[in-house]
Amino acid sequence: MQLKYKIVTLSVLPLIVSVLFICVLVFAQSRKLEEQQAKLVESSIMAAKQAELKNYLELALSLIAPLYQSGRDDEQARQQALNMLARASFGLDGYFFVYDSHGKSLMHPRQADLVGKELIGMKDKNGLPVIQALLKSAESGDGFQLYTWEKPSTGQVTEKLSYVVMLERWGWMLGTGIYIDDVEVATHKSRQEVASGVLTTVLAIASFALIAVLVVFSGGLMLNFTEQRLADRKLSALNQRIVHLQEEERSRVSRELHDGISQQLVSIKFQFELASLELESGRGRGLDNLRAGTARLGEAIGEIRRISHDLRPSLLDTLGLSPAIDQLVREFEQRTTIRTQYECGLDDAEVDKDVSVTLFRIIQEALTNIERHSEASAAIISLSISPRAITLRVEDNGVGFDPGLLDRSHGIGLRNIRERVDHHRGTFAISSSNGRTELQVEIPRA
């Protein structure tokens, strides 16, 4: 073999071997990265879904809290709670279910044929006794259980993650769940993205290697002995270029994967994920991050509840006017420390829905004015009914004001009250002096 061919062979063979080794290494690393990425995506999504389930169940518990915490154990109270939970739903396939401690279905809004049946021995397609597992999870305090169940929107049996709690006094297991078929889709998409990035990297390396081989081979044919050093320098530079290209491509793939994931995660999810990683590694900041994330989540939930209640309290629609006013008074007392007495002399069944909303808003506006302007230490709210009208009185022992200045006032609170009363063709009167202010509203009965 001539020297120039030996030079070409000695240059090309190591290059080919190194490229093949790089490709094998990239594929091996890609498999590892693919598994890590899939596990990270899956754990992140599952953590988010667990947090979401807890939020939904907390909302359900708050919905029936007035009934449960009232101490009532009669069948009417329980049936009322079941009706409230049956009407509550979220998303296309989100609902709540209730079983007793013996596995009997008490409420299932999407599969009414199961209600009243003893399902303690029912198993899913994997042989898991579903109701037994849910009861065990609820009693242990963990609450989360993974099993297969029929998805209402498709009718297909799908993986489902549920969260359940025990209502000990009633002997109920209350729970809800989320179908997690999208987790498999997300992990599959993550694997595809990694595989696509690796394939692009390998093709780029192979392309550059092929170009390099052609350049080396073509140059080697024209080389002579005096050009061997130049050829060696070119080959060295070419090898270094391949190494740089490999590192740059890996960096690009890494940035794309990282940025793509970061855009899909919100800050609260990221904080829980960070706390999980730090707890696994034994670092002390994991618990702090977990508490901070929990606190932020609690603040967000609290703010949402507050805004939702201000816009329209759920009790007004579910339980009626009196429980809604009672809750409003309790919250007002806790917030302002103003002793407030609520006297109710009417049955919610006797009050029209529109009138209930009007009365609730008037009381809400009146309490706001007491809090802001009256400097009172006590207030009284009374509702009474007669054959002719419904009467509302709100009284406080504050500093009072001049009612004659109302028409020249720029405030809109009392103006809103007057407009609401006029809408129902009612009467509105207010009297005030130092130490006593009384607002009286009469709304005619239909």
Side-chain angles (χ1 to χ4, degrees):
M1 186 181 294
Q2 297 180 9
L3 181 60
K4 58 183 179 181
Y5 295 122
K6 289 181 179 181
I7 295 174
V8 172
T9 302
L10 292 175
S11 301
V12 171
L13 282 179
L15 180 61
I16 294 176
V17 172
S18 64
V19 170
L20 290 175
F21 177 76
I22 290 171
C23 291
V24 172
L25 182 62
V26 168
F27 274 113
Q29 292 296 322
S30 71
R31 296 294 300 176
K32 184 178 180 181
L33 179 63
E34 182 179 325
E35 290 300 322
Q36 292 176 347
Q37 183 71 18
K39 290 180 180 179
L40 179 61
V41 171
E42 183 177 358
S43 63
S44 300
I45 296 177
M46 291 299 288
K49 288 186 178 293
Q50 288 180 350
E52 185 179 2
L53 284 175
K54 284 188 175 181
N55 292 341
Y56 288 141
L57 202 59
E58 287 177 3
L59 291 175
L61 290 172
S62 67
L63 189 64
I64 65 172
L67 286 173
Y68 188 73
Q69 295 174 1
S70 67
R72 294 175 58 189
D73 289 327
D74 57 283
E75 185 61 29
Q76 182 181 2
R78 298 189 182 192
Q79 188 60 45
Q80 193 173 5
L82 290 176
N83 293 337
M84 293 166 59
L85 293 171
R87 291 193 298 268
S89 63
F90 53 92
L92 184 62
D93 297 299
Y95 56 89
F96 299 94
F97 54 83
V98 178
Y99 292 84
D100 65 12
S101 58
H102 302 292
K104 181 180 179 181
S105 176
L106 302 179
M107 188 276 292
H108 199 297
R110 303 298 175 89
Q111 291 178 289
D113 57 311
L114 299 180
V115 177
K117 294 183 178 180
E118 298 284 347
L119 304 177
I120 193 68
M122 186 179 66
K123 298 181 179 180
D124 67 359
K125 68 176 184 180
N126 298 322
L128 175 70
V130 176
I131 308 305
Q132 293 182 31
L134 288 172
L135 286 170
K136 183 177 180 181
S137 180
E139 291 170 354
S140 67
D142 174 61
F144 292 103
Q145 182 61 48
L146 191 63
Y147 56 94
T148 59
W149 196 268
E150 181 179 332
K151 190 174 183 180
S153 61
T154 63
Q156 297 180 350
V157 177
T158 307
E159 288 283 337
K160 183 177 183 180
L161 176 66
S162 285
Y163 180 68
V164 290
V165 296
M166 292 299 297
L167 301 179
E168 300 292 345
R169 188 159 56 79
W170 286 355
W172 285 5
M173 177 183 69
L174 170 63
T176 186
I178 296 179
Y179 295 91
I180 58 173
D181 46 345
D182 57 334
V183 176
E184 183 178 354
V185 174
T187 54
H188 180 67
K189 182 179 178 181
S190 174
R191 294 177 189 272
Q192 285 184 331
E193 289 176 353
V194 174
S196 176
V198 171
L199 180 60
T200 302
T201 303
V202 171
L203 289 176
I205 294 174
S207 300
F208 283 114
L210 178 60
I211 294 173
V213 169
L214 293 176
V215 171
V216 171
F217 184 78
S218 300
L221 294 177
M222 298 180 291
L223 283 176
N224 54 35
F225 185 73
T226 58
E227 295 173 335
Q228 289 179 10
R229 293 182 180 178
L230 180 60
D232 290 339
R233 288 195 296 268
K234 289 183 178 180
L235 288 174
S236 178
L238 185 59
N239 287 331
Q240 189 64 34
R241 181 185 177 191
I242 291 175
V243 172
H244 285 314
L245 288 173
Q246 175 190 350
E247 294 300 325
E248 290 176 3
E249 188 64 21
R250 285 183 177 179
S251 298
R252 185 187 66 82
V253 174
S254 176
R255 286 194 304 270
E256 289 180 355
L257 292 175
H258 181 271
D259 292 341
I261 296 173
S262 297
Q263 292 174 0
Q264 296 174 10
L265 300 179
V266 295
S267 61
I268 295 176
K269 296 178 185 178
F270 178 79
Q271 192 143 21
F272 277 114
E273 179 186 349
L274 179 61
S276 175
L277 293 176
E278 290 184 341
L279 287 173
E280 289 176 359
S281 62
R283 286 180 285 179
R285 285 185 54 81
L287 187 58
D288 293 337
N289 280 320
L290 185 61
R291 288 172 177 168
T294 304
R296 291 174 60 191
L297 187 60
E299 291 173 1
I301 294 173
E303 185 65 15
I304 291 173
R305 286 178 177 172
R306 186 190 66 78
I307 295 173
S308 175
H309 181 70
D310 287 343
L311 292 175
R312 186 176 180 90
S314 58
L315 287 179
L316 190 60
D317 294 323
T318 55
L319 299 184
L321 178 62
S322 294
I325 296 175
D326 190 59
Q327 181 185 15
L328 180 65
V329 169
R330 289 200 306 269
E331 292 177 353
F332 176 77
E333 283 186 316
Q334 292 173 0
R335 187 175 67 253
T336 64
T337 69
I338 298 176
R339 291 182 296 102
T340 306
Q341 180 181 347
Y342 171 46
E343 301 171 353
C344 180
L346 55 83
D347 184 358
D348 287 354
E350 301 176 302
V351 184
D352 182 76
K353 183 177 180 180
D354 291 339
V355 176
S356 296
V357 174
T358 296
L359 292 172
F360 181 84
R361 293 304 186 192
I362 291 174
I363 295 173
Q364 193 176 43
E365 190 66 51
L367 291 178
T368 300
N369 288 337
I370 292 173
E371 178 182 0
R372 291 178 179 175
H373 310 297
S374 71
E375 301 180 15
S377 61
I380 299 175
I381 299 172
S382 65
L383 273 172
S384 60
I385 191 168
S386 67
R388 185 178 61 85
I390 298 172
T391 303
L392 165 67
R393 289 185 178 89
V394 181
E395 183 180 344
D396 68 79
N397 63 350
V399 296
F401 65 97
D402 183 2
L405 300 177
L406 285 180
D407 294 334
R408 287 176 284 175
S409 173
H410 297 289
I412 62 173
L414 293 175
R415 187 183 308 167
N416 288 340
I417 293 177
R418 180 171 292 168
E419 290 177 355
R420 288 180 182 275
V421 174
D422 290 344
H423 174 73
H424 293 282
R425 303 179 186 276
T427 59
F428 165 75
I430 187 167
S431 60
S432 181
S433 61
N434 188 17
R436 183 179 180 277
T437 298
E438 180 183 9
L439 178 148
Q440 179 171 317
V441 170
E442 284 193 0
I443 295 180
R445 297 183 64 183

